[in-house]
Amino acid sequence: MSGTDEGSSLADLLDSRRLFQFVVAAEAPTLAAAAAELFITQQALSSAIRQLERDLGVALFSRAQRSLQLTDAGHELYTGAKPLLAGIRVLANTTRNLSNPQRAFVIGHSPAISGEEVYRIIEPAVVADPTVSITIRQVFPGSMRDGLLDGSLDLALRRGVDMPTDLATDTLLYQPLRIAVVKSHNLAARARIDISELAEHPIVVWAPPRHSFYTDLLVSHCRRSGFEPRLLVNPVQGTPPYTAVLAHPDHCAFVTDDPGGVYQGKVRVIEIANPPLVPVQAVWLPHSVSTIRTTLFDAVQRSAVVSTPSQLEDGDIRTTSPRRSHVAPASDVQ
């Protein structure tokens, strides 16, 4: 590469400090408020934004109104700037933490995935390197994006296949659905049922239809089996999914726990014949590199059992292997 080419390439790079100032300005009601938040003068902030506009060759704010209004180019930059800045912060923290190997890699998981299931996912990586420090934390789906962007989470696991466009996502693996019932339920003595048998039993879910990808997925499996499910939205959130039936003994709940007795034998988990498969989605910050995350994905890929086509519904992704950089559109999932 010639010196001219190299200089031109470097000139195209965004100044991270100006980019951060732009994000603050985009989120503030006025330029004066943004300047106060940044502890700089309004003139200095205005100059920084104008320099950023000159660097990019586009207007980022419309000057036609008194309030700050992003142009289309400004919206595009703002959408990509937050994860990019978060990635810079993660890179800086990772570099600093090389001298602090005890810093834990934090994995958040939605209530739809139990802590035990999370450990099964990470077990191959833990066994491969018993010295790795990992913290597992339950997080509600609505908080995952903020946790990844502010650095309190390194990886998130949830049900679903969609996420905001500014996060990297992929389907890590699929799990077979099962049914949980209390031990007094008339299905409790069964070792296996057909999903169509649930037409006679109300089902507990954790969010209403059309408000949760996971609920919609469960409803779709019922409809494909020939019935419209009777649903009850569980008012208790954050507990293992199988506990939902304790307060509703005539109901059942879809779970992915191992079959048999759970919760001191008060609940039975029952196999479903030709079970539908539900995804575990990994979500992480784009523009970031993590040795632990790569090791975890590789370990899951090696240990995963690829589902046969007969087990998958039409339209499902037919692999359990994680792809590293897929970014999906937004949706509210579990």
Side-chain angles (χ1 to χ4, degrees), residues 34-50:
E37 183 177 343
L38 291 165
F39 300 102
I40 60 176
T41 66
Q42 184 173 336
Q43 182 179 3
L45 178 56
S46 180
S47 297
I49 292 174
R50 289 188 182 279

Side-chain angles (χ1 to χ4, degrees), residues 21-136:
Q21 292 170 336
F22 160 76
V23 168
V24 173
E27 294 177 343
T30 65
L31 198 65
E37 183 177 343
L38 291 165
F39 300 102
I40 60 176
T41 66
Q42 184 173 336
Q43 182 179 3
L45 178 56
S46 180
S47 297
I49 292 174
R50 289 188 182 279
Q51 183 59 54
L52 184 59
E53 290 177 321
R54 285 193 291 270
D55 290 344
L56 294 171
V58 295
L60 300 174
F61 290 100
S62 171
R63 270 79 177 181
Q65 302 178 15
R66 291 188 176 182
S67 60
L68 292 175
Q69 297 291 330
L70 289 171
T71 63
D72 289 344
H75 278 291
E76 182 71 17
L77 182 62
Y78 176 76
T79 298
K82 293 197 73 172
L84 180 60
L85 290 170
I88 292 172
R89 185 187 59 252
V90 168
L91 176 60
N93 289 338
T94 301
T95 303
R96 295 189 191 101
N97 289 330
L98 286 176
S99 61
N100 179 22
Q102 298 306 311
R103 191 270 179 184
F105 183 83
V106 181
I107 300 176
H109 66 96
S110 75
I113 305 172
S114 71
E116 181 178 353
E117 289 175 306
V118 175
Y119 185 78
R120 290 178 188 169
I121 293 171
I122 70 170
E123 182 180 3
V126 174
V127 171
D129 183 4
T131 66
V132 66
S133 180
I134 298 177
T135 296
I136 307 299

Side-chain angles (χ1 to χ4, degrees), residues 66-296:
R66 291 188 176 182
S67 60
L68 292 175
Q69 297 291 330
L70 289 171
T71 63
D72 289 344
H75 278 291
E76 182 71 17
L77 182 62
Y78 176 76
T79 298
K82 293 197 73 172
L84 180 60
L85 290 170
I88 292 172
R89 185 187 59 252
V90 168
L91 176 60
N93 289 338
T94 301
T95 303
R96 295 189 191 101
N97 289 330
L98 286 176
S99 61
N100 179 22
Q102 298 306 311
R103 191 270 179 184
F105 183 83
V106 181
I107 300 176
H109 66 96
S110 75
I113 305 172
S114 71
E116 181 178 353
E117 289 175 306
V118 175
Y119 185 78
R120 290 178 188 169
I121 293 171
I122 70 170
E123 182 180 3
V126 174
V127 171
D129 183 4
T131 66
V132 66
S133 180
I134 298 177
T135 296
I136 307 299
R137 181 183 302 161
Q138 182 173 277
V139 180
F140 285 105
S143 302
M144 286 183 172
R145 178 180 179 275
D146 289 343
L148 291 165
L149 289 176
D150 67 23
S152 60
L153 295 177
D154 296 300
L155 182 69
L157 301 175
R158 64 190 296 168
R159 303 294 183 193
V161 294
D162 296 336
M163 273 296 290
T165 55
D166 55 358
L167 294 175
T169 68
D170 211 344
T171 300
L172 194 59
L173 53 84
Y174 284 89
Q175 295 174 308
L177 273 181
R178 300 183 176 97
I179 286 294
V181 295
V182 296
K183 66 177 181 180
S184 59
H185 196 281
N186 60 11
L187 293 176
R190 301 277 298 277
R192 178 177 285 115
I193 66 166
D194 189 278
I195 193 172
S196 62
E197 296 180 68
L198 300 181
E200 302 176 6
H201 304 280
I203 301 171
V204 184
V205 294
W206 286 263
R210 296 181 298 280
H211 288 78
S212 161
F213 167 86
Y214 193 38
T215 298
D216 291 345
L217 180 63
L218 299 178
V219 169
S220 72
H221 284 310
C222 294
R223 288 173 177 166
R224 288 174 180 176
S225 298
F227 69 96
E228 187 68 28
R230 291 175 289 155
L231 303 178
L232 169 69
V233 177
N234 187 15
V236 179
Q237 300 288 311
T239 59
Y242 60 73
T243 60
V245 298
L246 292 169
H248 308 284
D250 59 331
H251 287 56
C252 57
F254 284 109
V255 300
T256 50
D257 300 273
D258 285 341
V262 294
Y263 201 67
Q264 300 175 335
K266 296 178 182 179
V267 177
R268 296 284 301 174
V269 176
I270 304 166
E271 295 270 18
I272 296 176
N274 298 315
L277 300 175
V278 293
V280 173
Q281 182 194 54
V283 189
W284 66 98
L285 195 67
H287 317 298
S288 66
V289 176
S290 167
T291 301
I292 295 179
R293 187 178 68 223
T294 300
T295 300
L296 172 62

Side-chain angles (χ1 to χ4, degrees), residues 274-275 277 305-313 316-320:
N274 298 315
L277 300 175
V305 177
V306 178
S307 303
T308 61
S310 63
Q311 290 179 289
L312 290 163
E313 300 288 350
D316 284 338
I317 300 172
R318 298 177 181 270
T319 179
T320 57

Side-chain angles (χ1 to χ4, degrees), residues 1-14:
M1 177 183 293
S2 69
T4 301
D5 291 338
E6 182 178 1
S8 176
S9 176
L10 290 175
D12 289 337
L13 296 179
L14 288 169

